[in-house]
Amino acid sequence: MTETITLSTGQKMPLVGLGTWKSAPGQVKQAVLAALDCGYRHIDCAAAYGNEREVGEALTEQLGPGKSLRREDIFVTSKLWNTKHHPDDVEEACKRSLSDLRLCYLDLYLMHWPMAFERGDELMPRHPDGTIRYDDTHYRDTWAAMEKLVDQGLVKAIGLSNFNARQTDDILSVAKHKPVVNQMECHPYLVQSKLVSHCWSRGLTVTAYSPLGSPDRPWVTPGQARLLDDPRVVGMAKHYNKSPAQVINRWHIQRGVICIPKSVTPSRIKQNIEVFDFKLSDEDMRLIESFNRNERLIVPTIMKDGQKVWRDAGHPHFPFS
Ligand code: A2P
């Protein structure tokens, strides 16, 4: 059984969850079933992943009267996509995720990114030059609309994703319902020490996405070093008689960060949660932290005038400098 962390609301959130970003329809149902079968009680979802309906098929097979699990046994997170930030769109977007997931409530609903995209059903509305068509809805207004979801009982808690320290404080300064989590890219090549400490000091729990370095990210460049193949991680895995992924997952949870490794492979799904029967030494914890190279893998970049620039940096709420 997986260990939990207590959120500022008192809810218990399992330290390891199943990630579903990049899990294709056709694969994700089996992945969720395999995960529930081997003890996962936390599934991380998002409308933008395009697979919540299939996640819902798996949940409905396992949850409910006469089935193996009760709703309250599992922790389900979903995320409000950037095209749904306008306060008039928030409730409908949440209800859509609930209906796709076939749930009456979410345990946690995150604002996926601080930037708002043009309203509508196009996931990534773009100008012909590839840049995003933004909307000027402020994330503070989106937050106020998300707070109403808590009041209505549609979600137990709300939180942030991809927010920097300043933006997190900005939300805290206006929040009636405080954000309980900030979900951020985090792995040994991007350890995020400052932002993690900042969130903790404000009572937020941190969830690491791409905890294994997302080797299946769509824009991976051939030959780019893979965290899971890093000889230092591989060496440590041999020492502990565990896999490289288990060492990394263990590092996250041992530092108090929730991790949501994605896999559609049953043996890996099982392996990724088998991290509660060993402990990394303090020295190895520090050693892994020293692998940091502030390498952000998730936001794609483009070259402009010979410089690497963030593809989405044209928005005042873009979180990364
Ligand atoms: P797959 O889904 O084909 O099993 P992240 O969670 O950082 O985004 O990483 C997800 C990627 O890591 C996927 O390509 C997934 O492959 C792979 N992966 C997940 N768990 C393991 C594991 N225990 N060992 C090796 N690769 C893994």
Side-chain angles (χ1 to χ4, degrees):
M1 190 50 74
T2 121
E3 290 177 22
T4 60
I5 212 164
T6 303
L7 303 179
S8 55
T9 47
Q11 292 163 279
K12 298 217 182 295
M13 184 167 179
L15 277 161
V16 178
L18 180 73
T20 59
W21 176 47
K22 309 179 256 75
S23 299
Q27 296 184 313
V28 74
K29 180 178 175 187
Q30 291 315 314
V32 173
L33 288 173
L36 293 175
D37 194 45
C38 66
Y40 284 71
R41 295 294 177 261
H42 168 190
I43 314 288
D44 183 84
C45 315
Y49 303 162
N51 56 13
E52 285 192 326
R53 200 176 281 194
E54 206 178 306
V55 173
E57 285 175 23
L59 294 179
T60 207
E61 273 190 24
Q62 295 295 317
L63 293 188
K67 305 200 179 142
S68 56
L69 292 168
R70 295 166 305 168
R71 171 66 187 89
E72 57 270 33
D73 293 333
I74 64 161
F75 192 103
V76 181
T77 302
S78 182
K79 310 186 191 85
L80 177 77
W81 184 237
N82 308 353
T83 51
K84 305 293 173 188
H85 274 212
H86 191 282
D88 290 347
D89 297 336
V90 169
E91 183 180 328
E92 194 184 319
C94 177
K95 285 184 168 165
R96 175 68 196 266
S97 280
L98 283 170
S99 127
D100 284 350
L101 292 165
R102 304 199 203 178
L103 298 174
C104 297
Y105 69 88
L106 295 168
D107 297 278
L108 178 63
Y109 198 43
L110 306 178
M111 199 182 323
H112 208 145
W113 289 87
M115 315 84 77
F117 291 0
E118 190 175 276
R119 296 171 73 184
D121 290 324
E122 202 182 336
L123 193 68
M124 300 290 278
R126 289 186 189 281
H127 294 290
D129 69 355
T131 54
I132 295 287
R133 298 202 302 271
Y134 289 111
D135 179 89
D136 58 10
T137 303
H138 197 288
Y139 53 74
R140 285 195 299 256
D141 297 324
T142 309
W143 187 256
M146 291 175 70
E147 289 179 325
K148 293 192 187 138
L149 306 174
V150 181
D151 296 332
Q152 286 172 270
L154 294 174
V155 307
K156 299 270 182 214
I158 47 180
L160 310 171
S161 179
N162 294 300
F163 273 58
N164 64 28
R166 186 184 49 75
Q167 293 165 334
T168 304
D169 285 351
D170 199 10
I171 292 282
L172 284 166
S173 72
V174 295
K176 183 177 79 159
H177 294 300
K178 298 220 179 306
V180 296
V181 160
N182 189 4
Q183 184 177 124
M184 62 187 75
E185 179 183 344
C186 184
H187 43 73
Y189 290 164
L190 182 72
V191 303
Q192 300 265 34
S193 302
K194 270 171 84 173
L195 185 55
V196 168
S197 302
H198 185 90
C199 289
W200 285 345
S201 73
R202 266 96 173 137
L204 279 83
T205 293
V206 172
T207 300
Y209 74 69
S210 298
L212 303 175
S214 278
D216 57 344
R217 63 192 182 280
W219 47 84
V220 67
T221 20
Q224 200 173 2
R226 279 168 42 107
L227 175 61
L228 287 171
D229 297 334
D230 187 313
R232 298 166 297 182
V233 178
V234 173
M236 224 180 259
K238 282 203 183 103
H239 171 76
Y240 287 97
N241 202 19
K242 291 283 176 183
S243 73
Q246 286 172 314
V247 165
I248 297 169
N249 290 328
R250 179 69 211 181
W251 172 76
H252 285 291
I253 62 166
Q254 199 167 313
R255 80 192 276 241
V257 168
I258 291 176
C259 66
I260 45 169
K262 170 264 175 185
S263 178
V264 292
T265 314
S267 58
R268 289 173 171 174
I269 291 171
K270 186 165 184 297
Q271 190 190 98
N272 286 338
I273 205 169
E274 288 173 344
V275 290
F276 296 98
D277 58 353
F278 77 112
K279 197 168 180 293
L280 297 167
S281 69
D282 293 347
E283 195 187 343
D284 286 338
M285 287 295 291
R286 281 194 297 274
L287 191 61
I288 296 177
E289 189 139 352
S290 77
F291 300 166
N292 183 43
R293 41 198 208 199
N294 292 323
E295 186 176 13
R296 204 175 283 284
L297 302 171
I298 294 315
V299 177
T301 53
I302 51 172
M303 297 303 284
K304 200 171 179 190
D305 305 327
Q307 299 274 334
K308 212 175 175 193
V309 293
W310 295 112
R311 182 180 283 278
D312 289 340
H315 191 280
H317 299 157
F318 187 75
F320 315 133
S321 51

